[in-house]
Amino acid sequence: AQKVTQAQTEISVVEKEDVTLDCVYETRDTTYYLFWYKQPPSGELVFLIRRNSFDEQNEISGRYSWNFQKSTSSFNFTITASQVVDSAVYFCALSEDDTGNQFYFGTGTSLTVIP
Amino acid sequence: DGGITQSPKYLFRKEGQNVTLSCEQNLNHDAMYWYRQDPGQGLRLIYYSQIVNDFQKGDIAEGYSVSREKKESFPLTVTSAQKNPTAFYLCASRAAVVPYEQYFGPGTRLTVT
């Protein structure tokens, strides 16, 4: 079974629209970590955010915001006023291991922002 | 600048040849990882190493080998036993302490014909 599900394979939005990327995870551990990464066309994954299971506060960083809800096992990512530079593949990931060695990545959501 | 380097960016090989992908980091990270990325499949873990001279198989280790003789280096060899080696390979590293995020190199795109 998939531990991290990103149901949206591809999304297209027009510049300046808001867009939410969904991430649903599955774990029985009480301590775990969730991550979002951005993969631009160049290929390198860029770390965006880490959230641990004990911190359900939503976070905002500029145009980016994250909504962590343990009740629905979701860790959604919203980009406000999207820009062409936001076009990339976005990956959600889960780490259950306390050492952080075992990462489970979702299959990614490809976001295209149309100018 | 600190970071992870992978070379080369593009690599072409003939079927039946072994090929070694380079990964070097100067972040002083203890743990290093190799992932394979195929279209629509996300990232799959090949091998990881927590300390020098020690490494563990990931989910898809068959047909691959690694070494960890130095903290900074974690080369991956794609052997001729790997049935479908054409893919994008990403190397990552992580500090041993919190935070646990992994940092990635730019990747190597391997094409075997």
Side-chain angles (χ1 to χ4, degrees):
Chain A
Q2 274 283 84
K3 284 192 172 285
V4 178
T5 301
Q6 295 180 256
Q8 305 150 307
T9 304
E10 295 180 1
I11 300 177
S12 292
V13 298
V14 177
E15 200 170 19
K16 297 183 183 176
E17 287 185 345
D18 299 347
V19 58
T20 295
L21 309 182
D22 298 333
C23 174
V24 174
Y25 63 92
E26 179 182 333
T27 181
R28 294 183 178 179
D29 289 6
T30 54
T31 302
Y32 53 90
Y33 298 83
L34 295 163
F35 308 81
W36 274 97
Y37 286 86
K38 174 182 180 179
Q39 186 178 39
S42 60
E44 180 173 346
L45 267 76
V46 178
F47 165 71
L48 296 177
I49 190 172
R50 170 179 56 92
R51 176 65 76 230
N52 71 53
S53 53
F54 298 107
D55 182 3
E56 285 195 76
Q57 275 194 331
N58 291 329
E59 181 154 341
I60 298 174
S61 176
R63 296 184 296 107
Y64 294 172
S65 62
W66 291 269
N67 184 346
F68 176 30
Q69 291 195 337
K70 289 175 73 170
S71 60
T72 56
S73 296
S74 65
F75 186 43
N76 297 338
F77 173 29
T78 297
I79 302 175
T80 303
S82 59
Q83 300 176 2
V84 172
V85 293
D86 296 327
S87 296
V89 180
Y90 291 86
F91 289 96
C92 180
L94 163 73
S95 177
E96 297 174 316
D97 189 339
D98 238 11
T99 67
N101 276 317
Q102 190 64 273
F103 268 57
Y104 301 96
F105 283 88
T107 51
T109 296
S110 178
L111 173 65
T112 301
V113 181
I114 304 166
Chain B
D1 282 3
I4 303 172
T5 57
Q6 291 184 246
S7 60
K9 180 71 173 175
Y10 299 94
L11 192 53
F12 298 89
R13 280 295 183 269
K14 294 288 187 185
E15 196 173 326
Q17 293 179 336
N18 292 354
V19 57
T20 297
L21 280 59
S22 163
C23 178
E24 304 277 332
Q25 55 99 358
N26 61 4
L27 299 167
N28 199 32
H29 285 171
D30 292 291
M32 296 187 73
Y33 306 77
W34 274 105
Y35 291 91
R36 170 182 172 137
Q37 185 177 23
D38 295 283
Q41 294 195 38
L43 277 69
R44 292 184 290 169
L45 182 64
I46 305 172
Y47 269 98
Y48 67 96
S49 168
Q50 294 177 278
I51 56 173
V52 174
N53 292 323
D54 186 53
F55 46 83
Q56 285 78 40
K57 294 181 179 180
D59 300 319
I60 56 166
E62 185 175 347
Y64 299 98
S65 65
V66 293
S67 63
R68 187 87 187 276
E69 297 177 1
K70 298 186 301 181
K71 187 176 184 178
E72 303 79 20
S73 179
F74 191 40
L76 172 74
T77 297
V78 184
T79 75
S80 56
Q82 169 50 234
K83 295 178 181 176
N84 186 17
T86 295
F88 187 53
Y89 291 88
L90 285 156
C91 179
S93 70
R94 183 185 62 78
V97 296
V98 178
Y100 291 129
E101 55 269 19
Q102 296 182 4
Y103 292 93
F104 285 81
T108 292
R109 192 166 300 278
L110 173 65
T111 302
V112 177
T113 57

